[in-house]
Amino acid sequence: YNGFVGCRDVSGTSRNHTPGLNEQGGVTIWGRAYDKAGNASGWSTPVHYYYDHTNPNTSIKVTGLNTSNSANSSFTVEGDASDNLSLNRVYVQLVRREDGKRYGGTTINLIPNGINPKGVIAHWSHTYNISALGLPDGTYAANVEVVDMAGNTFDPGWTANFTVDSTAPTLTINSY
């Protein structure tokens, strides 16, 4: 273990680690054991944990939305997400405002080919076909949440408000 930055001798079976500011992005930890005779085990498999206090960010654009009655329309929610370290995924859902019920949730993974690029701006997009979802009448909003590798989230709140109204009006004619 000589020559590695941050090596520490530990007695017992556990050690607490409080990351310093220079460890922003995460720390990879591995270890090995020594017995009382001085025999050393091999190095353990490394374990990486993410240390990041900065929330990711995203721009959001909605196209093709008929806000007055979207019962038979489709629209796309898209954006560009970024983080100071690395992104993980975006959640996009439709939420009915009257009762908070969630519809059409989808997860968009932002890690291309399992690689976790630092500081890469990722474009994401999801198209909703409202009639295919079978939404009950009500007022809806698209909710977007971006998550980075450390689990920090960015939730810009409600966006893209629209109404679904599939009930025809009634008309009564009275004669006098």
mmCIF file of all heavy atoms in Angstrom, residues 56-60 78-84 86-90 110 119-124 144-147 154:
data_model
loop_
_atom_site.group_PDB
_atom_site.id
_atom_site.type_symbol
_atom_site.label_atom_id
_atom_site.label_comp_id
_atom_site.label_asym_id
_atom_site.label_seq_id
_atom_site.Cartn_x
_atom_site.Cartn_y
_atom_site.Cartn_z
ATOM 1 N N PRO A 56 -27.841 18.629 -10.369
ATOM 2 C CA PRO A 56 -27.774 18.792 -11.821
ATOM 3 C C PRO A 56 -28.748 19.865 -12.268
ATOM 4 O O PRO A 56 -29.568 20.346 -11.484
ATOM 5 C CB PRO A 56 -28.186 17.413 -12.338
ATOM 6 C CG PRO A 56 -29.020 16.840 -11.254
ATOM 7 C CD PRO A 56 -28.481 17.401 -9.969
ATOM 8 N N ASN A 57 -28.700 20.203 -13.534
ATOM 9 C CA ASN A 57 -29.578 21.222 -14.078
ATOM 10 C C ASN A 57 -30.066 20.758 -15.442
ATOM 11 O O ASN A 57 -29.431 19.928 -16.084
ATOM 12 C CB ASN A 57 -28.840 22.556 -14.201
ATOM 13 C CG ASN A 57 -29.793 23.719 -14.282
ATOM 14 O OD1 ASN A 57 -31.000 23.559 -14.425
ATOM 15 N ND2 ASN A 57 -29.241 24.918 -14.189
ATOM 16 N N THR A 58 -31.179 21.301 -15.875
ATOM 17 C CA THR A 58 -31.682 20.971 -17.201
ATOM 18 C C THR A 58 -32.477 22.134 -17.755
ATOM 19 O O THR A 58 -33.066 22.903 -17.016
ATOM 20 C CB THR A 58 -32.551 19.690 -17.179
ATOM 21 O OG1 THR A 58 -32.784 19.262 -18.512
ATOM 22 C CG2 THR A 58 -33.873 19.901 -16.484
ATOM 23 N N SER A 59 -32.439 22.256 -19.064
ATOM 24 C CA SER A 59 -33.356 23.165 -19.742
ATOM 25 C C SER A 59 -34.508 22.308 -20.238
ATOM 26 O O SER A 59 -34.320 21.139 -20.565
ATOM 27 C CB SER A 59 -32.658 23.847 -20.913
ATOM 28 O OG SER A 59 -32.262 22.880 -21.860
ATOM 29 N N ILE A 60 -35.704 22.870 -20.277
ATOM 30 C CA ILE A 60 -36.875 22.095 -20.677
ATOM 31 C C ILE A 60 -37.606 22.849 -21.779
ATOM 32 O O ILE A 60 -37.822 24.045 -21.693
ATOM 33 C CB ILE A 60 -37.821 21.866 -19.490
ATOM 34 C CG1 ILE A 60 -37.102 21.110 -18.380
ATOM 35 C CG2 ILE A 60 -39.070 21.118 -19.925
ATOM 36 C CD1 ILE A 60 -37.869 21.051 -17.095
ATOM 37 N N GLU A 78 -38.508 17.836 -23.892
ATOM 38 C CA GLU A 78 -37.096 17.563 -24.124
ATOM 39 C C GLU A 78 -36.240 18.617 -23.453
ATOM 40 O O GLU A 78 -36.732 19.667 -23.030
ATOM 41 C CB GLU A 78 -36.788 17.506 -25.611
ATOM 42 C CG GLU A 78 -36.992 18.808 -26.340
ATOM 43 C CD GLU A 78 -36.723 18.693 -27.820
ATOM 44 O OE1 GLU A 78 -35.675 18.150 -28.191
ATOM 45 O OE2 GLU A 78 -37.569 19.147 -28.603
ATOM 46 N N GLY A 79 -34.971 18.330 -23.364
ATOM 47 C CA GLY A 79 -34.063 19.298 -22.761
ATOM 48 C C GLY A 79 -32.624 18.869 -22.852
ATOM 49 O O GLY A 79 -32.302 17.808 -23.381
ATOM 50 N N ASP A 80 -31.776 19.724 -22.332
ATOM 51 C CA ASP A 80 -30.348 19.441 -22.233
ATOM 52 C C ASP A 80 -29.980 19.477 -20.762
ATOM 53 O O ASP A 80 -30.238 20.475 -20.078
ATOM 54 C CB ASP A 80 -29.533 20.481 -23.007
ATOM 55 C CG ASP A 80 -29.795 20.380 -24.494
ATOM 56 O OD1 ASP A 80 -29.612 19.275 -25.041
ATOM 57 O OD2 ASP A 80 -30.197 21.389 -25.095
ATOM 58 N N ALA A 81 -29.427 18.402 -20.258
ATOM 59 C CA ALA A 81 -29.077 18.292 -18.843
ATOM 60 C C ALA A 81 -27.570 18.356 -18.685
ATOM 61 O O ALA A 81 -26.811 17.892 -19.538
ATOM 62 C CB ALA A 81 -29.611 16.983 -18.272
ATOM 63 N N SER A 82 -27.153 18.943 -17.564
ATOM 64 C CA SER A 82 -25.721 19.006 -17.267
ATOM 65 C C SER A 82 -25.514 18.903 -15.764
ATOM 66 O O SER A 82 -26.426 19.130 -14.973
ATOM 67 C CB SER A 82 -25.120 20.307 -17.798
ATOM 68 O OG SER A 82 -25.718 21.409 -17.142
ATOM 69 N N ASP A 83 -24.306 18.556 -15.392
ATOM 70 C CA ASP A 83 -23.935 18.437 -13.983
ATOM 71 C C ASP A 83 -22.456 18.747 -13.865
ATOM 72 O O ASP A 83 -21.701 18.576 -14.825
ATOM 73 C CB ASP A 83 -24.230 17.011 -13.476
ATOM 74 C CG ASP A 83 -24.051 16.886 -11.971
ATOM 75 O OD1 ASP A 83 -24.636 17.693 -11.235
ATOM 76 O OD2 ASP A 83 -23.325 15.983 -11.537
ATOM 77 N N ASN A 84 -22.045 19.179 -12.691
ATOM 78 C CA ASN A 84 -20.628 19.480 -12.496
ATOM 79 C C ASN A 84 -19.769 18.217 -12.561
ATOM 80 O O ASN A 84 -18.583 18.285 -12.841
ATOM 81 C CB ASN A 84 -20.401 20.179 -11.156
ATOM 82 C CG ASN A 84 -20.763 19.294 -9.985
ATOM 83 O OD1 ASN A 84 -21.768 18.588 -10.010
ATOM 84 N ND2 ASN A 84 -19.957 19.324 -8.960
ATOM 85 N N SER A 86 -21.235 14.206 -13.139
ATOM 86 C CA SER A 86 -21.759 13.262 -14.117
ATOM 87 C C SER A 86 -23.237 13.001 -13.878
ATOM 88 O O SER A 86 -23.700 12.942 -12.747
ATOM 89 C CB SER A 86 -20.977 11.955 -14.058
ATOM 90 O OG SER A 86 -20.923 11.495 -12.729
ATOM 91 N N LEU A 87 -23.965 12.850 -14.953
ATOM 92 C CA LEU A 87 -25.405 12.636 -14.913
ATOM 93 C C LEU A 87 -25.740 11.160 -14.846
ATOM 94 O O LEU A 87 -24.928 10.304 -15.186
ATOM 95 C CB LEU A 87 -26.039 13.225 -16.167
ATOM 96 C CG LEU A 87 -25.924 14.742 -16.275
ATOM 97 C CD1 LEU A 87 -26.152 15.175 -17.701
ATOM 98 C CD2 LEU A 87 -26.907 15.398 -15.337
ATOM 99 N N ASN A 88 -26.963 10.874 -14.443
ATOM 100 C CA ASN A 88 -27.407 9.496 -14.407
ATOM 101 C C ASN A 88 -28.678 9.316 -15.235
ATOM 102 O O ASN A 88 -28.672 8.632 -16.236
ATOM 103 C CB ASN A 88 -27.639 9.053 -12.960
ATOM 104 C CG ASN A 88 -27.874 7.570 -12.836
ATOM 105 O OD1 ASN A 88 -27.865 6.845 -13.824
ATOM 106 N ND2 ASN A 88 -28.099 7.105 -11.634
ATOM 107 N N ARG A 89 -29.792 9.974 -14.842
ATOM 108 C CA ARG A 89 -31.052 9.728 -15.540
ATOM 109 C C ARG A 89 -31.999 10.916 -15.394
ATOM 110 O O ARG A 89 -31.816 11.771 -14.542
ATOM 111 C CB ARG A 89 -31.715 8.462 -15.011
ATOM 112 C CG ARG A 89 -32.092 8.556 -13.551
ATOM 113 C CD ARG A 89 -32.489 7.184 -12.985
ATOM 114 N NE ARG A 89 -32.676 7.267 -11.558
ATOM 115 C CZ ARG A 89 -31.712 7.183 -10.648
ATOM 116 N NH1 ARG A 89 -30.475 7.010 -11.023
ATOM 117 N NH2 ARG A 89 -31.970 7.272 -9.363
ATOM 118 N N VAL A 90 -33.036 10.897 -16.230
ATOM 119 C CA VAL A 90 -34.124 11.867 -16.177
ATOM 120 C C VAL A 90 -35.417 11.076 -16.015
ATOM 121 O O VAL A 90 -35.607 10.059 -16.677
ATOM 122 C CB VAL A 90 -34.192 12.710 -17.479
ATOM 123 C CG1 VAL A 90 -35.430 13.580 -17.508
ATOM 124 C CG2 VAL A 90 -32.953 13.556 -17.640
ATOM 125 N N LEU A 110 -29.017 8.571 -18.914
ATOM 126 C CA LEU A 110 -28.121 9.533 -19.539
ATOM 127 C C LEU A 110 -26.678 9.066 -19.593
ATOM 128 O O LEU A 110 -25.795 9.824 -19.926
ATOM 129 C CB LEU A 110 -28.188 10.868 -18.783
ATOM 130 C CG LEU A 110 -29.551 11.545 -18.795
ATOM 131 C CD1 LEU A 110 -29.541 12.781 -17.927
ATOM 132 C CD2 LEU A 110 -29.971 11.893 -20.205
ATOM 133 N N GLY A 119 -19.042 16.080 -16.748
ATOM 134 C CA GLY A 119 -19.307 17.377 -17.355
ATOM 135 C C GLY A 119 -19.918 17.344 -18.741
ATOM 136 O O GLY A 119 -19.949 18.348 -19.424
ATOM 137 N N VAL A 120 -20.426 16.199 -19.188
ATOM 138 C CA VAL A 120 -21.010 16.097 -20.526
ATOM 139 C C VAL A 120 -22.444 16.618 -20.483
ATOM 140 O O VAL A 120 -23.195 16.323 -19.558
ATOM 141 C CB VAL A 120 -20.988 14.632 -21.009
ATOM 142 C CG1 VAL A 120 -21.815 14.450 -22.265
ATOM 143 C CG2 VAL A 120 -19.568 14.188 -21.249
ATOM 144 N N ILE A 121 -22.837 17.411 -21.472
ATOM 145 C CA ILE A 121 -24.224 17.865 -21.585
ATOM 146 C C ILE A 121 -24.983 16.798 -22.371
ATOM 147 O O ILE A 121 -24.597 16.437 -23.476
ATOM 148 C CB ILE A 121 -24.312 19.229 -22.280
ATOM 149 C CG1 ILE A 121 -23.638 20.285 -21.410
ATOM 150 C CG2 ILE A 121 -25.766 19.597 -22.554
ATOM 151 C CD1 ILE A 121 -23.581 21.653 -22.032
ATOM 152 N N ALA A 122 -26.032 16.293 -21.770
ATOM 153 C CA ALA A 122 -26.792 15.209 -22.384
ATOM 154 C C ALA A 122 -28.145 15.725 -22.850
ATOM 155 O O ALA A 122 -28.852 16.391 -22.105
ATOM 156 C CB ALA A 122 -26.984 14.078 -21.377
ATOM 157 N N HIS A 123 -28.499 15.417 -24.088
ATOM 158 C CA HIS A 123 -29.818 15.780 -24.607
ATOM 159 C C HIS A 123 -30.768 14.625 -24.321
ATOM 160 O O HIS A 123 -30.428 13.467 -24.519
ATOM 161 C CB HIS A 123 -29.748 16.046 -26.115
ATOM 162 C CG HIS A 123 -31.066 16.481 -26.662
ATOM 163 N ND1 HIS A 123 -31.549 17.759 -26.490
ATOM 164 C CD2 HIS A 123 -32.018 15.802 -27.338
ATOM 165 C CE1 HIS A 123 -32.744 17.848 -27.049
ATOM 166 N NE2 HIS A 123 -33.046 16.676 -27.572
ATOM 167 N N TRP A 124 -31.964 14.952 -23.841
ATOM 168 C CA TRP A 124 -32.973 13.937 -23.562
ATOM 169 C C TRP A 124 -34.297 14.368 -24.177
ATOM 170 O O TRP A 124 -34.533 15.546 -24.408
ATOM 171 C CB TRP A 124 -33.111 13.706 -22.056
ATOM 172 C CG TRP A 124 -33.427 14.947 -21.287
ATOM 173 C CD1 TRP A 124 -32.540 15.835 -20.742
ATOM 174 C CD2 TRP A 124 -34.727 15.470 -21.005
ATOM 175 N NE1 TRP A 124 -33.213 16.867 -20.141
ATOM 176 C CE2 TRP A 124 -34.563 16.665 -20.280
ATOM 177 C CE3 TRP A 124 -36.026 15.057 -21.297
ATOM 178 C CZ2 TRP A 124 -35.629 17.440 -19.840
ATOM 179 C CZ3 TRP A 124 -37.095 15.826 -20.851
ATOM 180 C CH2 TRP A 124 -36.880 17.002 -20.121
ATOM 181 N N VAL A 144 -40.581 16.898 -14.567
ATOM 182 C CA VAL A 144 -39.265 16.425 -14.991
ATOM 183 C C VAL A 144 -38.333 16.456 -13.791
ATOM 184 O O VAL A 144 -38.314 17.437 -13.047
ATOM 185 C CB VAL A 144 -38.693 17.324 -16.113
ATOM 186 C CG1 VAL A 144 -37.290 16.892 -16.490
ATOM 187 C CG2 VAL A 144 -39.612 17.317 -17.319
ATOM 188 N N GLU A 145 -37.588 15.384 -13.589
ATOM 189 C CA GLU A 145 -36.600 15.342 -12.515
ATOM 190 C C GLU A 145 -35.312 14.770 -13.081
ATOM 191 O O GLU A 145 -35.316 13.707 -13.681
ATOM 192 C CB GLU A 145 -37.099 14.460 -11.370
ATOM 193 C CG GLU A 145 -36.121 14.366 -10.220
ATOM 194 C CD GLU A 145 -36.618 13.441 -9.129
ATOM 195 O OE1 GLU A 145 -36.510 12.215 -9.308
ATOM 196 O OE2 GLU A 145 -37.114 13.950 -8.116
ATOM 197 N N VAL A 146 -34.198 15.485 -12.917
ATOM 198 C CA VAL A 146 -32.888 15.036 -13.383
ATOM 199 C C VAL A 146 -32.093 14.575 -12.161
ATOM 200 O O VAL A 146 -32.075 15.245 -11.131
ATOM 201 C CB VAL A 146 -32.132 16.170 -14.098
ATOM 202 C CG1 VAL A 146 -30.792 15.680 -14.617
ATOM 203 C CG2 VAL A 146 -32.965 16.721 -15.245
ATOM 204 N N VAL A 147 -31.417 13.420 -12.285
ATOM 205 C CA VAL A 147 -30.662 12.844 -11.172
ATOM 206 C C VAL A 147 -29.218 12.637 -11.606
ATOM 207 O O VAL A 147 -28.965 12.099 -12.685
ATOM 208 C CB VAL A 147 -31.276 11.495 -10.734
ATOM 209 C CG1 VAL A 147 -30.536 10.919 -9.540
ATOM 210 C CG2 VAL A 147 -32.765 11.640 -10.432
ATOM 211 N N PHE A 154 -32.608 17.542 -9.576
ATOM 212 C CA PHE A 154 -33.088 18.851 -10.005
ATOM 213 C C PHE A 154 -34.520 18.646 -10.452
ATOM 214 O O PHE A 154 -34.791 17.868 -11.359
ATOM 215 C CB PHE A 154 -32.246 19.407 -11.152
ATOM 216 C CG PHE A 154 -32.807 20.681 -11.729
ATOM 217 C CD1 PHE A 154 -32.691 21.869 -11.041
ATOM 218 C CD2 PHE A 154 -33.450 20.681 -12.952
ATOM 219 C CE1 PHE A 154 -33.207 23.052 -11.563
ATOM 220 C CE2 PHE A 154 -33.961 21.860 -13.480
ATOM 221 C CZ PHE A 154 -33.842 23.045 -12.776
#
